[in-house]
Amino acid sequence: MRQFSFSDLIFLVTALEWTFLMAAIALAFGVPLALGLALARTSGSLVMRTIASALIELIQGIPLLGLLMFFYFGIPVLVVRDVPPVVAVGAAYTIYTAVFLGDIWRGGIQAVRQAQWEAGACLGLSWLQQFVHIIGPQAFRIALPATVGFLVQLIKNTSLASVVGLVELARAGQMISAGTFQPLLVYTLVAAIYFTICFPLTTWSRTLEARLNGAR
């Protein structure tokens, strides 16, 4: 057993690299998929709406931990080869991000009045031009507070990646706690770091909600 030291604190802060990296991977690959799902959910095609709705309902019904286990332990069985933890975690968080952001953005698109689409059509704009220049900006403003709120959840849920061996913030805390036998101190610091990251985002989300709702 040893005492908690400054090097342990540095280790916790360094482990944030994986926390931020996983969130960045999820957003980089999940955002385009989320936009595609949102557009499919609001399209005029019954087939596309049905497929997108079924996919979103399926993934949202599976715990994130279940997705992580599937991609880390299940996919290697199917492809008969090991999957690196970063790839497995990245795939799980990408799909998780895509379905939840897709649902949030679907709500933003549907909140824009149908008259806006009709106005764009009267101007001779194509469907894509209507979305890019008229519908998209309005939907973005509506969905932005909820999007920032989801980002908070995503950052906190990166702690689940510790089950597949990635040493992010939560896993680093477990390792230090096991070595120092000071769980109260260690996990208080871990919680404080998460709070330092997430509280400003939560405050920003509430500010955006009040400001953008008033603008409407």
Side-chain angles (χ1 to χ4, degrees), residues 4-189:
F4 184 88
S5 64
F6 181 73
S7 62
D8 292 318
L9 180 60
I10 296 300
F11 182 52
L12 285 177
V13 175
T14 303
L16 280 173
E17 293 179 359
W18 280 108
T19 298
F20 291 136
L21 178 61
M22 286 185 291
I25 290 173
L27 292 173
F29 293 98
V31 163
L33 294 176
L35 181 59
L37 286 173
L39 293 176
R41 283 289 305 272
T42 57
S43 72
S45 171
L46 177 60
V47 174
M48 293 183 65
R49 291 201 309 270
T50 301
I51 293 175
S53 297
L55 181 61
I56 289 175
E57 293 294 336
L58 173 65
I59 300 301
Q60 287 187 349
I62 301 175
L64 178 55
L65 183 59
L67 287 176
L68 288 167
M69 292 295 187
F70 173 76
F71 280 99
Y72 188 70
F73 296 107
I75 293 299
V77 175
L78 298 176
V79 301
V80 197
R81 63 182 301 175
D82 291 335
V83 176
V86 175
V87 175
V89 169
Y93 281 106
T94 293
I95 293 176
Y96 170 79
T97 299
V99 296
F100 280 92
L101 278 186
D103 218 16
I104 291 172
W105 293 350
R106 182 269 310 166
I109 293 172
Q110 291 183 332
V112 179
R113 297 174 182 175
Q114 183 62 30
Q116 298 292 309
W117 288 99
E118 296 171 355
C122 290
L123 293 173
L125 300 179
S126 66
W127 180 90
L128 180 60
Q129 290 173 325
Q130 292 176 47
F131 182 80
V132 171
H133 298 292
I134 301 175
I135 307 301
Q138 296 182 67
F140 176 76
R141 287 172 60 87
I142 295 170
L144 183 57
T147 300
V148 176
F150 172 78
L151 178 58
V152 174
Q153 296 301 318
L154 178 62
I155 292 173
K156 291 190 293 186
N157 283 333
T158 57
S159 61
L160 294 177
S162 61
V163 300
V164 298
L166 285 184
V167 185
E168 41 64 63
L169 179 58
R171 177 59 178 164
Q174 291 175 349
M175 295 169 65
I176 295 172
S177 176
T180 62
F181 287 92
Q182 295 178 282
L184 180 59
L185 171 62
V186 174
Y187 288 119
T188 298
L189 287 174

Side-chain angles (χ1 to χ4, degrees), residues 141 145 203-216:
R141 287 172 60 87
T203 303
W204 184 35
S205 175
R206 292 173 179 169
T207 302
L208 287 172
E209 184 176 8
R211 181 186 304 168
L212 298 181
N213 184 64
R216 292 178 61 201

